Amino acid sequence: MQRSTKALAVGAAATAVAAGAAVLVAAGVRRGAAVGKVRRDKFDRWFDTLDTEGNDYITEENLREAADRVLGARGVPVESPMGLELREATHRLWTDFIAPAAEDDETRVSRKELRAALARHMLADRIAAASKLASVADAYFAISDEDGDGLISSGEFVQLMRNWNGVDYVESHRLFEYLDADHDNRISPDEWRRAIFGFFLSGERGHPANDLMGKVGSPILAPADF
């Protein structure tokens, strides 16, 4: 079985549990709630990791570049099945959640527009958003699971964090320990989905997944070779 197929099969087996995690994320938060400071800080950090040109706009190409850094670190060609799968997931992230908020130029989104886009197209219906985000999570899981064992090791996680979001070694290991809920030194598909859901959907202060794109206020590092 190919690595991507194996990893996604394991992820599919956890679908029901992951859906339950999305419900827990949404619990106690009314539909259509404002972004709030916690989410605003997270979304701004994500924006900063994507705005590599520093022009206060992001484009779909910026999302593709982030995905391609992960592929490059793994030595996986963009044209491969796994590469195309990650590219497609990135495209859906842009078209489903971000692009609809573009105003002056439909090909680029400002920081303010990104916040509005995620509030309107993601936070307004968290359960529907979780269903869409699951495929994005699975695509990144598959490319991160380098040895194809259906789990992400600490080394694989550190590589993903550095090349995807510019997160340093120490911060990546701290985040790994938080996300490894059962403390087996591996991140399962379900734990990884919870991390994605937690970053995008939770407004809880101190949530372990809040730093998935890097700790707010910390430097964004350039991608590194592993």
Side-chain angles (χ1 to χ4, degrees):
M1 182 180 291
Q2 292 184 346
R3 288 177 179 172
S4 60
T5 304
K6 181 176 180 179
L8 292 178
V10 175
T15 299
V17 179
V23 173
L24 291 175
V25 166
V29 184
R30 65 182 179 86
R31 292 164 64 91
V35 171
K37 185 180 187 308
V38 172
R39 294 192 190 94
R40 184 174 68 248
D41 288 346
K42 292 191 292 184
F43 296 163
D44 283 355
R45 170 71 186 199
W46 186 36
F47 183 95
D48 289 336
T49 69
L50 295 171
D51 181 22
T52 54
E53 297 178 2
N55 59 8
D56 293 324
Y57 286 97
I58 60 171
T59 66
E60 184 177 0
E61 178 60 26
N62 292 135
L63 267 70
R64 284 198 298 264
E65 288 171 353
D68 288 353
R69 288 197 299 269
V70 177
L71 292 171
R74 277 284 319 279
V76 176
V78 172
E79 300 78 13
S80 68
M82 291 181 72
L84 294 174
E85 183 180 346
L86 193 62
R87 275 285 186 93
E88 176 59 27
T90 299
H91 175 69
R92 290 196 303 271
L93 185 61
W94 175 264
T95 57
D96 288 347
F97 298 116
I98 302 174
E103 296 176 0
D104 298 332
D105 185 337
E106 65 180 11
T107 65
R108 66 181 194 174
V109 171
S110 68
R111 185 185 305 271
K112 181 179 178 180
E113 288 170 343
L114 176 66
R115 296 173 187 165
L118 298 182
R120 186 178 308 125
H121 302 288
M122 187 178 287
L123 300 180
D125 189 340
R126 293 166 180 76
I127 304 306
S131 178
K132 295 177 180 179
L133 285 170
S135 65
V136 177
D138 289 348
Y140 273 94
F141 188 97
I143 196 66
S144 304
D145 178 21
E146 186 169 1
D147 61 9
D149 65 352
L151 299 165
I152 296 178
S153 67
S154 59
E156 291 168 341
F157 184 79
V158 168
Q159 178 171 326
L160 171 65
M161 289 296 98
R162 181 63 185 272
N163 289 281
W164 187 25
N165 307 317
V167 182
D168 70 22
Y169 177 89
V170 173
E171 183 64 22
S172 294
H173 274 284
R174 185 190 69 80
L175 182 57
F176 179 88
E177 291 178 359
Y178 276 125
L179 299 181
D180 179 20
D182 59 4
H183 307 296
D184 66 349
N185 204 34
R186 296 288 189 275
I187 292 179
S188 68
D190 183 40
E191 288 169 336
W192 176 244
R193 281 189 175 190
R194 286 197 191 104
I196 295 294
F197 296 156
F199 176 83
F200 285 106
L201 304 179
S202 175
E204 176 188 345
R205 187 178 302 277
H207 193 290
N210 286 351
D211 297 334
L212 193 61
M213 305 300 175
K215 190 175 181 63
V216 173
S218 66
I220 299 172
L221 303 182
D225 294 327
F226 285 78

